[in-house]
Each structure stands twice: as structure tokens, then as C-alpha cells.
Amino acid sequence: MLYVIGLGLSYVDDISVRGLKAVQKCARVYLEAYTSILMAASKEDLEEFYGREVILADRELVESGSDDILEDADKVDVAFLVVGDPFGATTHTDLIIRAKSLGIPINVIHNASVMNAAGACGLQLYNFGQTVSLVFFTDSWKPDSFYDRIKENRDIGLHTLVLLDIKVKEQSFENMARGRKIYEPPRYMDIETAASQLLEIEELRQEQAYTADTPCVSISRLGSPEQKFIAATLGELAEIESGEPLHSLVILGHRTHEMELEYLLDFAPNKEAFQKAVEAEINAEKAKHPVVVTEEDNNQ
Amino acid sequence: MLYVIGLGLSYVDDISVRGLKAVQKCARVYLEAYTSILMAASKEDLEEFYGREVILADRELVESGSDDILEDADKVDVAFLVVGDPFGATTHTDLIIRAKSLGIPINVIHNASVMNAAGACGLQLYNFGQTVSLVFFTDSWKPDSFYDRIKENRDIGLHTLVLLDIKVKEQSFENMARGRKIYEPPRYMDIETAASQLLEIEELRQEQAYTADTPCVSISRLGSPEQKFIAATLGELAEIESGEPLHSLVILGHRTHEMELEYLLDFAPNKEAFQKAVEAEINAEKAKHPVVVTEEDNNQ
């Protein structure tokens, strides 16, 4: 049996009781260690908590060596641990498809991920559109497909969850070209970099998908002891210090509800300005399309 | 301290180890019992597993009697247990806002919810638009605000997660009018009812938000031992027997990716017809707006 087990967001004991029981009976335990990290626990903490050896599975092992992970999994139990929920990244779907094709039985044990726990900032999950990813720009590579998607969400008033890039065990171009297995130190995109990159693309595209005045919420260290939200405009977030990883960002849509705003104001360093930024968006939209809000919409 | 603890989807031991530790040290333990149910565990199962009494909290207690729940929570620990993740329903946000206003410290322990575990059907979460809810229609009340939202999602190619109504401890109009505390048996919307109601509204609105030929996936008993997915058209799903609750439904968008389709075909009783239905949507969209797919889009 292949157990694919979500670890949740932060602590060693965010794993479910059912997940822990499964880990403890497996012959081999792999930890996927390149799409995310567990914020309040190291590999050694996990090993101590499980009472088991944990094998770090980097991108190379998962994507090209998945047969090593799946070896004998039709006879013995193998655990593949994933930070968040197992279906957060396409990588894990690939592994499951591969296991299925080998006739290996699969048991998925779910957990919280940023996709649902983001609701902790006070924004309602049913007001979110599609989630986008933002990668580290280089001088020559600034992929901006997220821009159209944020615009699609914002055009219909929805919030956008922006997932920020993580670079773990990456090689420099030179080391890769020379076949040297030397890796760069891990990098996790912070809020100020994310906000600056977003504004850089708006500057280039000029389609007003968002601006420096757009209200946002930074989500830092979600689910960890040092969880922090900051409700501010995108321009303000480009200037903050967001501290230790992990981070994500929500760009608000104009359908922001009164209760959402009330909740967010607790996280706004400048409450009055933030409220004005949100109301400006709502009013600009009302001016474009006068809409009758029904009782049903309010109760949803 | 008020602990708001997600229980996950199904089993008693889907609670996290950290959540279980918190439950065991609380003076009072409430279980929110009207927005969802734990599929493979009763209140008694939970009490046995926790070694603690569990108080059922119905809508009345949570919405009008939240002060009873929060009583002394500034001095003793109180647990409020929620099926799925604590931020799945606005109800729980209300309780947290109330606790905050009373100066009660709050600790949220996240878990899986249908909003992220829905990825188990093989559709990628970043291809979903806004989530909608579908309530039981009556002869005189057929709220259809979901229709415009599904159309918004589908116009930009995104999938829609449709959450289906649950009626627990509801009174008939007559019993309510006469002040009799007699409750109807619980009802959980099944896939065939959901699909029929969706088609009924399309029949009325005729804006082609979706049709009987639109490819969908039914999600039944997600995360439970009897989890089942069926990939079929909306018209076909109106005719099936989906069995025991809980259910939800995904209406596909035309951005369906090859890997998503490959995964779904495992759940299609009629693979060839389902593949054709998906391809018909993709092709209809291509005919409307010829789009250049970039390498980046494929790798997202």
C-alpha cells in the first residue's frame, strides 16, 4: 500500500492521528521536501516524533526516481509525506498515477493546506477565484501568466490567493551546465518581493488588473506559532518586512463583504486607510454596474 | 482559551494529534452539528475516542447562544469542534469575532475540508473558480444565484465546486409557526437531486451556463472508506443513484488539462463518451478564441 499523507502546515503534531498510525506501520517513510516546508519542524523532529527514519525526497527522486519510492509497495507499506494536503501540487498527482499504473493500492490521508487554511485571514473561501503562483523573476525571465488570471478574478470581484515561489536544492546555471551537484541555499519568496514583482508586471502591462492602491492581505507563517496577517495596499506591502517564511498573499476583489472587512481591520496597521481602499474598490465597481444585492446573496 | 478545531472529513482519528491533545485538556467540548457531519463517526464514537463528554451544538446554540459556549473561556479551555476546517462556514467566523470582542484568546487548529480535499478527484485546485452552494428547492423557493457564478467560472474556463445542502434539525413551517420544537429527519442532498435542480435552472435561464452535456464529477463520501467519484455529464448524473451522503459536485470548465482528464477517466463509467464531452468543450472554446498555449501555462 502507498500511503500519501498530508502533514498540515507547521507542527510535527499537525499530522492526523490516522496519518500517524499509518506512518508508524510503514516499511519506508519519504518526506517530499521541495514544494513546501513544515515551518515548526525539521526532519529530525519528525523522526523523533514518529520514532522512524525519514528519507528526504527531492525533486530528482520524485520525478525521475519514483520507481525507487514505489519499489515493493504492492507488498509492503510505504508512506509518502507531503506538507499541506497531498493534492496541493501536480507532482503528487503524477506519483499517484504512476502507482495506479503499477497496480499499487493507494490510501490518501488529507490535511489542511494553504488553499483552505487561508480562510483564517477572515476572507470567505467562496469569494476566491482561481489560485495563482508567482515565481522568482530573473533579469531575463519574468513569467507573467498570473497577471491575466488575477485580472479574470478581479473583473468578477473575486479574491486571488497568490502562492509564492520556493527554491530548494536548486543548481546555478553554471553548476548545472558543468554537471556539478552543488546546490544554492534555499530561497523562499517574501511578501515585499512578491508585491514588487506584481507591481513590476502591472507597470509593463498597464491593464489595471490591480494597482499599488489595491487592498491585499499578507499571510505569513500560516498555522505556525508566528502566524501573522497584514491588511494593507499592494504598494504598502512592497515596503514591509515580512520576516521568516512561508508567505502567501491575497489580492482582494471588489465583492469584499462587510464581515470580511470587519475581520481584516484587526490586521490593518492603518485601519482608516485600509477601509477607504476597500470601499473605493466597491464604489468604483458599483459605479460601473449598478447591482441589486438580494437577501440570498447576503446570506450565502 | 477557545480552541476551534477542525475534525477533517470522516473518521474519528482524522483529527490532528495537536487537535486531540487540545480536546483532552478542555473543560467543555462542543461539536458543531448542523453545517456538516463526520461520515464515519457518531457523537458516541467521538466521546469514546476522546474519553470526554461532547456537547452537540445546533444552529440555535451557536447563533443565539454563543455566550453559553464562550462562558468562562477567558479562564478555562473550551473546544469548539468543526467538521472539515474551522473556516469552511461563516457561522464559525461569527463565533470567533464574538470571542475576540470578549477578549478571549483563540487557537485555531486546521484540518482538511472539501475545499482542498476535492483535489482527490484529479482536478487541479488552481483550475477552480469560486465555490457555490446549492440549497434544496421547494415549490415556491428556488434560489438561483449560483447560476451566475457558475457562468462566471465557466466563461473563463474554470471548474466549479458545488456544495450541496444539508438540513439538520429543521422545523416544518407549521411546527415553527406553532412554536413546537419538533424537528424533521435530517436530509442531505444527493447528486441526482443536485444535477436535476441545476438543469431545472438552466431550463429557466437558458444562458448556457452549462447544459445536460457538460462534463462533471460527482464526489461522494470524500475521505471516507466509501469514497466514490463518477465522471459523467450533468444529464447522466441526474439519473444515477449516488447512495449515502455526503456529496458534492464539480462542474468542469473548458481549461481541463490532459493530466486532469487522464485521472478522471478512471472514474468514468463511459470513458469514450466522457472524453468526447470534455474534448467538445475544449474545442468549442478554441473555436471562439484561438489561444496560444505557452510552455509556462503547461508547467504551472
Side-chain angles (χ1 to χ4, degrees):
Chain A
M1 174 83 80
L2 173 68
Y3 286 92
V4 187
I5 303 172
L7 297 187
L9 295 164
S10 178
Y11 299 87
V12 285
D13 52 3
D14 279 341
I15 192 171
S16 67
V17 176
R18 191 156 67 94
L20 181 60
K21 285 179 197 161
V23 168
Q24 288 174 334
K25 71 172 190 175
C26 282
R28 296 193 308 281
V29 180
Y30 295 91
L31 171 65
E32 188 270 272
Y34 62 98
T35 64
S36 192
I37 55 161
L38 214 54
M39 283 174 284
S42 65
K43 171 177 176 281
E44 289 69 33
D45 294 335
L46 291 178
E47 289 185 323
E48 196 189 324
F49 185 71
Y50 302 151
R52 300 295 312 275
E53 186 202 359
V54 169
I55 305 160
L56 283 186
D58 58 19
R59 189 183 293 272
E60 213 178 316
L61 181 63
V62 177
E63 292 184 358
S64 46
S66 66
D67 288 353
D68 292 348
I69 296 174
L70 298 175
E71 194 185 346
D72 290 335
D74 51 339
K75 299 184 204 81
V76 300
D77 291 326
V78 173
F80 186 74
L81 309 181
V82 175
V83 175
D85 185 72
F87 289 98
T90 49
T91 302
H92 316 134
T93 312
D94 275 339
L95 183 73
I96 292 171
I97 289 177
R98 178 86 186 121
K100 273 188 183 181
S101 73
L102 294 170
I104 295 168
I106 297 155
N107 193 334
V108 172
I109 300 182
H110 292 284
N111 211 320
S113 63
V114 61
M115 303 287 261
N116 68 342
C121 74
L123 293 170
Q124 297 295 329
L125 293 176
Y126 63 76
N127 282 338
F128 281 74
Q130 59 200 314
T131 297
V132 302
S133 298
L134 182 62
V135 301
F136 278 112
F137 288 174
T138 66
D139 289 341
S140 57
W141 196 60
K142 299 179 197 283
D144 68 352
S145 68
F146 63 81
Y147 186 85
D148 297 312
R149 291 172 181 175
I150 296 172
K151 187 163 192 312
E152 287 171 339
N153 288 341
R154 299 240 317 146
D155 281 347
I156 53 177
L158 299 175
H159 311 316
T160 308
L161 175 63
V162 186
L163 303 178
L164 307 186
D165 200 6
I166 286 178
K167 297 264 186 235
V168 181
K169 218 179 163 187
E170 297 276 323
Q171 286 174 284
S172 67
F173 185 75
E174 199 191 334
N175 284 327
M176 203 188 304
R178 300 190 178 204
R180 292 191 293 225
K181 298 222 165 185
I182 299 170
Y183 302 98
E184 303 298 304
R187 290 197 301 154
Y188 308 97
M189 192 184 290
D190 57 27
I191 296 293
E192 43 278 39
T193 305
S196 303
Q197 288 195 180
L198 286 163
L199 290 171
E200 185 180 344
I201 296 301
E202 173 57 45
E203 188 70 22
L204 286 170
R205 300 279 298 263
Q206 299 271 348
E207 296 169 44
Q208 310 277 308
Y210 47 80
T211 71
D213 296 327
T214 301
C216 296
V217 193
S218 71
I219 299 181
S220 293
R221 302 168 293 279
L222 181 64
S224 88
E226 285 81 33
Q227 172 174 296
K228 187 173 183 186
F229 306 115
I230 301 174
T233 65
L234 190 57
E236 288 167 337
L237 290 179
E239 306 292 329
I240 63 161
E241 268 196 40
S242 56
E244 291 296 303
L246 300 172
H247 308 278
S248 357
L249 179 69
V250 180
I251 302 176
L252 270 65
H254 62 76
R255 277 195 204 154
T256 303
H257 189 277
E258 208 173 298
M259 191 171 79
E260 293 181 311
L261 177 57
E262 181 187 343
Y263 208 98
L264 288 180
L265 285 177
D266 266 5
F267 309 128
N270 189 339
K271 291 185 205 314
E272 205 178 324
F274 187 75
Q275 179 152 2
K276 274 190 188 157
V278 171
E279 286 169 356
E281 294 250 312
I282 297 172
N283 293 334
E285 190 56 29
K286 272 189 192 153
K288 268 193 275 180
H289 322 278
V291 168
V292 180
V293 176
T294 65
E295 195 54 20
E296 186 201 331
D297 285 327
N298 280 325
N299 290 332
Q300 200 182 27
Chain B
M1 175 83 82
L2 173 69
Y3 286 93
V4 187
I5 304 172
L7 297 187
L9 296 163
S10 178
Y11 300 86
V12 285
D13 52 3
D14 278 342
I15 192 171
S16 67
V17 176
R18 192 156 67 95
L20 180 60
K21 284 179 197 161
V23 168
Q24 287 174 335
K25 71 172 190 177
C26 281
R28 299 193 307 281
V29 179
Y30 296 91
L31 171 65
E32 189 271 271
Y34 62 98
T35 64
S36 192
I37 54 161
L38 214 55
M39 284 175 283
S42 65
K43 170 176 175 285
E44 289 69 32
D45 294 335
L46 291 179
E47 289 184 323
E48 196 188 325
F49 185 70
Y50 302 151
R52 300 296 311 278
E53 185 202 0
V54 170
I55 306 160
L56 283 185
D58 57 20
R59 189 183 294 272
E60 213 177 316
L61 181 64
V62 177
E63 293 185 358
S64 46
S66 66
D67 288 351
D68 293 348
I69 296 174
L70 298 176
E71 195 186 346
D72 289 335
D74 50 341
K75 298 185 203 82
V76 300
D77 291 327
V78 173
F80 186 75
L81 309 181
V82 175
V83 175
D85 184 73
F87 290 97
T90 49
T91 302
H92 316 134
T93 312
D94 275 338
L95 183 72
I96 291 171
I97 289 176
R98 179 87 186 118
K100 273 188 184 179
S101 73
L102 294 170
I104 296 168
I106 297 156
N107 193 334
V108 172
I109 300 181
H110 292 284
N111 211 320
S113 63
V114 61
M115 303 287 261
N116 69 342
C121 74
L123 293 170
Q124 297 295 329
L125 292 177
Y126 62 77
N127 282 338
F128 281 74
Q130 58 201 316
T131 297
V132 302
S133 299
L134 182 61
V135 301
F136 278 113
F137 288 174
T138 67
D139 290 341
S140 57
W141 196 60
K142 299 179 197 283
D144 67 353
S145 68
F146 63 80
Y147 186 85
D148 297 312
R149 290 172 181 177
I150 296 172
K151 187 163 191 313
E152 287 171 339
N153 288 341
R154 298 240 316 145
D155 281 347
I156 53 177
L158 300 175
H159 311 317
T160 307
L161 175 63
V162 186
L163 303 178
L164 307 186
D165 201 6
I166 286 179
K167 296 267 186 232
V168 181
K169 218 178 163 188
E170 297 276 324
Q171 287 173 286
S172 68
F173 185 74
E174 200 190 335
N175 284 329
M176 202 187 305
R178 300 189 179 207
R180 293 191 294 223
K181 297 222 163 185
I182 299 170
Y183 301 98
E184 303 298 304
R187 290 198 301 155
Y188 308 97
M189 192 184 289
D190 57 27
I191 296 294
E192 44 277 40
T193 305
S196 303
Q197 288 195 179
L198 285 163
L199 290 170
E200 186 180 342
I201 297 300
E202 173 57 44
E203 188 69 24
L204 286 169
R205 300 278 299 262
Q206 299 270 348
E207 297 169 42
Q208 312 275 310
Y210 48 79
T211 71
D213 296 327
T214 301
C216 295
V217 193
S218 71
I219 298 182
S220 293
R221 301 167 295 277
L222 181 64
S224 89
E226 285 81 33
Q227 171 175 295
K228 187 174 183 185
F229 306 116
I230 301 175
T233 64
L234 191 57
E236 287 166 337
L237 290 180
E239 306 291 329
I240 64 160
E241 268 196 40
S242 55
E244 291 296 303
L246 301 172
H247 308 279
S248 355
L249 179 69
V250 181
I251 302 176
L252 269 65
H254 62 76
R255 278 196 204 153
T256 304
H257 189 277
E258 207 173 298
M259 192 172 78
E260 293 181 312
L261 177 57
E262 181 187 345
Y263 208 99
L264 288 180
L265 285 176
D266 265 5
F267 309 128
N270 188 338
K271 292 186 203 315
E272 206 178 324
F274 187 75
Q275 179 152 3
K276 273 191 188 157
V278 171
E279 286 169 354
E281 295 250 314
I282 297 171
N283 293 334
E285 190 56 30
K286 272 190 193 152
K288 269 192 274 179
H289 320 278
V291 168
V292 181
V293 176
T294 64
E295 194 57 19
E296 188 202 330
D297 285 329
N298 280 325
N299 290 333
Q300 200 182 33

